[in-house]
Amino acid sequence: MGFLKFAAKRMLPAVEKEEEKERIVILGSGWGALSALRKCASPNKSIVVVSPRPHFLYTPLLASSSVGTITLRSACEPLRALVESAAGSSHSATFVRADARFIDTKNQTVIATTDSEGTELHLSYDKLVVAVGAMPNTFGIPGVQEHALFLKEAEDSVKLHAKLLNNLEKAVALIRHTKGDTYKKEIERLLKVFVIGGGPTGVELAAEIADFARNDVARRYGDDIADKIQIVLVEAMPRVLGPFEESLANIARDHLIEKGVDVRTATAVTKVDEQSVTLAPSTPRNATAEEKARALSQASVEETGALVWAAGIGARPLVKKLAKSLGQKDMRGLIVDENLKVKGAENVYAIGDAALSGYAPTAQVAAQQGKHIGRAIRDGKNSPFVYNHAGSLCCLGSDNAIAQLLVPSSSSSFPVWEMIGKPVNGSNGDERALTGKPAFVLWRSLYFTKLLSTGSRFSLCADWLKAQINGRNVVEPVLKRQPTMRPPVESFGTELRRNNTIKFVKEEVKEQVARKKRFWII
């Protein structure tokens, strides 16, 4: 009995100490979530990261992976490994692969499902960080959700890569092995790609596809095939690259046009079908009904082999549910205060694209907000968030890019930026512009250093080197394994003609086998 009392006394403090650990639940696996995880990890924290995606995706490299410049292995980091590394600084850190479906702010519980059958997990929290990002916004345009391709997740890049290569092979077969102009329109359709959205994602993707056509298609399929590829970049605003200075945006536009990209500004998409897209002049938000009707009367339908939607983002269903339960009228995200705490909810923070914080929905903002919230949770002290903008980059392919950088004023005797001689940008004259190869080197160097592991850096270097020497990867990704079965037609399109003798022999063999089996059974 004395031993049991002694053991109980020794175990009781351990149990009390275990209960003192603050439970932190982080929803998401992007820039904001990972930054928050790294900063809030401490010995008195028990952290759970919840995400349906088992990896961290390096989004600036998605455009490159969609045309085979790099492999997705170089753009993804296993999330479980990142969480395990953070566990060394905290009491415990675990990863749960699940979809967060509902947040009960009264009971401080997150309800998540692990599969489509609805198996539920109830995760209690003391502090909750909502960093689920955003999803593509189709703006209710008919056919976009059903027929467009996107560039938001790793699987989107794989689908786009497969679509481009599949259309290319079909077109080459029709060009090389048919006569006349019977399939001329079909060939033009297969080789016509629309990129909707003139932001950094759309511009970088259009540039990558143009390089792919000019270099790799020309090398492997011939210049005549490469010349037939059409790339159309559509932007509803008067110019592309809205976040950049107009002078830099014009440089990017001219560079794309020089590559053969058809850049169309002030053009809106009104409908998307399986093999076509309807375009019309864009109108401002305050346009009258007559102005909108006049624009729609000028709409035209163009056929397309692939349409990539990179025209905006919207709130995820989880964010909309929480915003509605809190009585918000604006469903674009969660309204937060200066400390990034969700208004109307206790112990809930929102960062990145999931929050309406007044900042641009960029990875740079999400990462800084994640670090800020991580420190606040670690130290137990909230403070106003202050964003420090470092600049903007956009790769234009072919050793070309543009950069708009924030340069602090300096009285140094070695004025580097003045020696470079680039123009001054920004309302306060504190931004400088870089173009061409210097900006391209900066783009690659910056994103290379931002990778999270040495293995990814080696893999990325190998991909860039391989693409430079041997060209891009033109192996079509296998999205779905096909069943092994006898095809109903020959590869040339003619019906199968079986030899009757062979058929008879097969039947005879089957009968003999059946007899042997019957005899063996007897």
Side-chain angles (χ1 to χ4, degrees):
M1 182 66 70
F3 173 77
L4 293 177
K5 289 182 178 180
F6 174 77
K9 289 180 180 179
R10 292 292 302 270
M11 293 174 61
L12 185 60
V15 173
E16 291 177 352
K17 189 176 181 181
E18 184 72 23
E19 292 177 350
E20 292 175 359
K21 303 298 181 183
E22 190 175 26
R23 298 167 299 177
I24 310 300
V25 175
I26 301 175
L27 305 182
S29 58
W31 293 94
L34 194 60
S35 299
L37 168 67
R38 288 181 154 187
K39 290 298 180 182
C40 75
S42 59
N44 62 337
K45 299 292 187 293
S46 180
I47 306 171
V48 178
V49 178
V50 183
S51 173
R53 186 174 69 185
H55 56 264
F56 166 74
L57 178 62
Y58 201 71
T59 49
L61 299 177
L62 268 182
S64 299
S65 64
S66 64
V67 295
T69 307
I70 67 166
T71 60
L72 273 176
R73 182 186 305 172
S74 303
C76 296
E77 295 275 1
L79 189 58
R80 188 168 294 277
L82 299 174
V83 173
E84 287 176 358
S85 65
S89 302
S90 66
H91 170 69
S92 67
T94 58
F95 166 62
V96 177
R97 185 173 183 179
D99 257 315
R101 301 293 185 181
F102 183 74
I103 299 173
D104 184 353
T105 56
K106 292 183 179 179
N107 298 315
Q108 296 196 163
T109 303
V110 175
I111 300 174
T113 56
T114 58
D115 51 38
S116 58
E117 296 178 358
T119 305
E120 289 188 351
L121 296 176
H122 291 250
L123 305 172
S124 299
Y125 65 84
D126 295 316
K127 296 285 177 59
L128 174 66
V129 180
V130 182
V132 295
M135 60 188 295
N137 190 354
T138 63
F139 301 99
I141 299 174
V144 175
Q145 190 67 46
E146 295 80 8
H147 305 298
L149 297 167
F150 301 95
L151 199 60
K152 188 68 176 173
E153 304 290 346
E155 53 267 29
D156 295 334
S157 172
V158 176
K159 291 178 183 178
L160 176 57
H161 193 194
K163 183 70 172 179
L164 294 175
L165 293 177
N166 187 34
N167 285 358
L168 180 61
E169 292 292 350
K170 287 180 180 179
V172 170
L174 293 176
I175 293 172
R176 297 282 188 255
H177 303 287
T178 59
K179 296 181 180 180
D181 296 334
T182 306
Y183 298 104
K184 182 179 179 180
K185 290 186 177 180
E186 177 64 9
I187 293 169
E188 291 178 353
R189 184 191 70 80
L190 288 170
L191 298 180
K192 193 169 187 177
V193 181
F194 277 85
V195 179
I196 312 301
T201 301
V203 169
E204 290 186 354
L205 178 61
E208 285 282 357
I209 298 175
D211 283 347
F212 172 68
R214 177 184 291 183
N215 300 326
D216 301 275
V217 175
R219 178 193 299 182
R220 298 181 184 274
Y221 299 93
D223 292 330
D224 58 329
I225 304 296
D227 292 340
K228 294 181 183 296
I229 295 179
Q230 302 177 64
I231 306 163
V232 183
L233 178 64
V234 178
E235 170 56 41
M237 300 301 290
R239 67 178 179 90
V240 297
L241 296 177
F244 288 80
E245 287 286 329
E246 188 172 359
S247 58
L248 282 176
N250 291 337
I251 291 175
R253 179 202 61 199
D254 296 341
H255 184 75
L256 290 175
I257 294 174
E258 185 180 339
K259 283 175 173 285
V261 179
D262 182 5
V263 180
R264 304 182 190 178
T265 55
T267 304
V269 175
T270 59
K271 186 181 179 182
V272 176
D273 292 313
E274 186 176 0
Q275 297 183 355
S276 65
V277 56
T278 305
L279 303 173
S282 60
T283 56
R285 293 183 179 180
N286 58 353
T288 63
E290 294 180 356
E291 292 174 337
K292 293 179 180 180
R294 191 181 307 113
L296 290 175
S297 66
Q298 303 177 39
S300 60
V301 180
E302 298 187 36
E303 293 189 339
T304 177
L307 185 143
V308 187
W309 190 265
I313 58 174
R316 294 190 182 275
L318 174 70
V319 173
K320 290 182 178 179
K321 288 180 184 178
L322 181 56
K324 186 177 180 180
S325 67
L326 296 176
Q328 288 187 196
K329 294 182 179 180
D330 194 340
M331 295 290 114
R332 294 176 301 161
L334 297 172
I335 299 176
V336 296
D337 60 16
E338 60 180 6
N339 301 325
L340 301 180
K341 293 187 66 176
V342 177
K343 293 183 177 181
E346 193 71 25
N347 298 322
V348 180
Y349 300 87
I351 58 177
D353 299 349
L356 292 177
S357 58
Y359 297 101
T362 63
Q364 189 177 169
V365 171
Q368 290 189 30
Q369 289 181 338
K371 292 177 181 178
H372 178 83
I373 290 303
R375 295 189 191 100
I377 294 175
R378 180 193 63 196
D379 302 334
K381 183 179 179 181
N382 294 317
S383 60
F385 171 71
V386 179
Y387 173 60
N388 296 313
H389 184 64
S392 303
L393 296 168
C394 183
C395 182
L396 303 176
S398 299
D399 298 339
N400 208 320
I402 59 173
Q404 185 172 317
L405 307 174
L406 186 66
V407 181
S409 58
S410 175
S411 59
S412 173
S413 58
F414 189 70
V416 178
W417 293 101
E418 282 72 10
M419 291 180 64
I420 294 177
K422 293 302 179 180
V424 178
N425 291 318
S427 57
N428 299 324
D430 55 354
E431 293 184 354
R432 296 293 178 123
L434 279 181
T435 60
K437 287 188 177 181
F440 180 78
V441 172
L442 179 63
W443 184 89
R444 282 203 166 180
S445 301
L446 179 64
Y447 289 135
F448 175 81
T449 57
K450 291 291 184 180
L451 290 174
L452 303 177
S453 68
T454 304
S456 294
R457 295 188 184 99
F458 276 119
S459 178
L460 183 61
C461 284
D463 289 342
W464 281 340
L465 186 62
K466 183 179 178 181
Q468 190 69 27
I469 298 174
N470 298 326
R472 291 172 173 83
N473 179 22
V474 292
V475 178
E476 182 179 338
V478 179
L479 300 180
K480 184 178 181 181
R481 186 179 294 276
Q482 299 296 328
T484 304
M485 58 182 294
R486 182 181 298 171
V489 296
E490 297 282 4
S491 59
F492 298 103
T494 58
E495 296 182 357
L496 287 173
R497 295 180 181 179
R498 300 297 181 188
N499 190 309
N500 295 330
T501 305
I502 297 176
K503 182 178 180 181
F504 175 75
V505 170
K506 286 183 177 180
E507 291 177 352
E508 289 292 329
V509 171
K510 289 180 179 179
E511 290 181 2
Q512 292 178 7
V513 172
R515 290 173 185 173
K516 288 181 180 180
K517 286 183 177 180
R518 284 197 297 270
F519 177 78
W520 183 80
I521 292 173
I522 293 172

